[in-house]
Amino acid sequence: MPVLEIETIRGVQLMTMNRPKSLNSLNEELSSALIRAFHMASEDDEVRVVVLNGAGKGFCSGLDLTTVDSIGEQSSRFQALDEYGWVGRLALAISECDKPVIAAMNGIAAGAGLSLALAADMRYMAASARVTTGYIRRALSPDAGMSYFLPRLVGPNRAAKWLFTGQDIAAFEAEQAGLVDEVYADGEFMPHVLRIAYDIADQAPLALTYTKRLLHASFDTDLRSQLRQEFTSIKACFATEDVAEGMQAFSEKRKPIYRGR
């Protein structure tokens, strides 16, 4: 049974972490499969948006603790020189994917599992789901981008509290704090998330990618640099067939059909 199941329908690629017995805990096999999948999604013109979720009752319960002994092993020169580790490289693969990424948190998201959701562009939770930073409970400091993404989403004070206490956070508290975009009843969760994903997939693919790149660049640049990059990006968009299609569809009062050209 594959540790990661992938299905693409109407431009939406559903990536399902498939280790339900361990609540989809992360080991090197699953992490490597996710890294490959996100890199491939970036290069696949058929994929317009990615939805990441978990099989069974959990989203991702964090690091598979049976792999702890292997985290510090350095069996190759690559591993000895690796500054990120496989969980760090996974956070980069999600964050730097050129397609919008939605984390569908159907159940527990803990530790590195929560970090995966934080690296996504959008997050939704089922009402019964909960999250926890978790690391401090295991005498660990955060990884997989937790200390980068969390304070940017919920503010430094709340991030500090959650990291220092490792407390459980219910879905509606996560929504109020700005960690997730919306919470849906369990039975309605995936239909709502997929509806949003399909709406995004109907948009112009090149404009989606330019927009994602601009959003990510905005955290580490100044206004003048961002304005220059915005101007460069929108000029590139104006040169596409999709802009002409959008204008024609507007004048004809119909839904545009964007082809990424």
Side-chain angles (χ1 to χ4, degrees), residues 3-6 12-18 24 26 30 33-35 37-38 49-55 58-60 90 94 100-107 112-124 189-190 193-194 197:
V3 296
L4 181 66
E5 294 185 342
I6 299 174
V12 174
Q13 183 164 102
L14 184 63
M15 294 187 191
T16 304
M17 294 176 282
N18 192 32
N24 305 307
L26 284 170
L30 176 56
L34 283 165
I35 290 169
F38 277 104
V49 59
V50 176
V51 176
L52 178 64
N53 75 328
F59 175 73
C60 178
L90 175 52
I94 297 172
V101 178
I102 298 172
M105 301 158 72
N106 53 300
L114 175 56
S115 294
L116 301 191
L118 299 181
D121 301 295
M122 303 164 67
R123 284 155 297 281
Y124 297 94
F189 176 65
M190 282 308 294
V193 173
L194 290 174

Side-chain angles (χ1 to χ4, degrees), residues 126-160:
S128 66
R130 69 188 191 282
V131 302
T132 175
T133 59
Y135 293 99
I136 204 70
R137 296 180 182 178
R138 303 290 183 264
L140 296 170
S141 59
D143 68 353
M146 174 77 73
S147 62
Y148 179 87
F149 294 114
L150 188 62
R152 283 167 168 77
L153 287 168
V154 303
N157 291 353
R158 184 177 276 113

Side-chain angles (χ1 to χ4, degrees), residues 55-118:
K57 297 181 179 180
F59 175 73
C60 178
S61 60
L63 178 66
D64 183 343
L65 295 179
T66 64
T67 69
V68 167
D69 290 341
S70 68
I71 295 296
E73 290 181 0
Q74 299 177 353
S75 59
S76 69
R77 285 191 297 272
F78 172 78
Q79 290 176 329
L81 296 170
D82 185 2
E83 297 179 307
Y84 304 106
W86 46 265
V87 286
R89 283 184 274 111
L90 175 52
L92 285 172
I94 297 172
S95 179
E96 295 177 355
C97 178
D98 257 345
K99 311 299 170 65
V101 178
I102 298 172
M105 301 158 72
N106 53 300
I108 182 67
L114 175 56
S115 294
L116 301 191
L118 299 181

Side-chain angles (χ1 to χ4, degrees), residues 192-208:
H192 275 292
V193 173
L194 290 174
R195 175 182 54 79
I196 294 166
Y198 287 127
D199 285 346
I200 294 172
D202 285 340
Q203 307 308 316
L206 291 171
L208 285 173

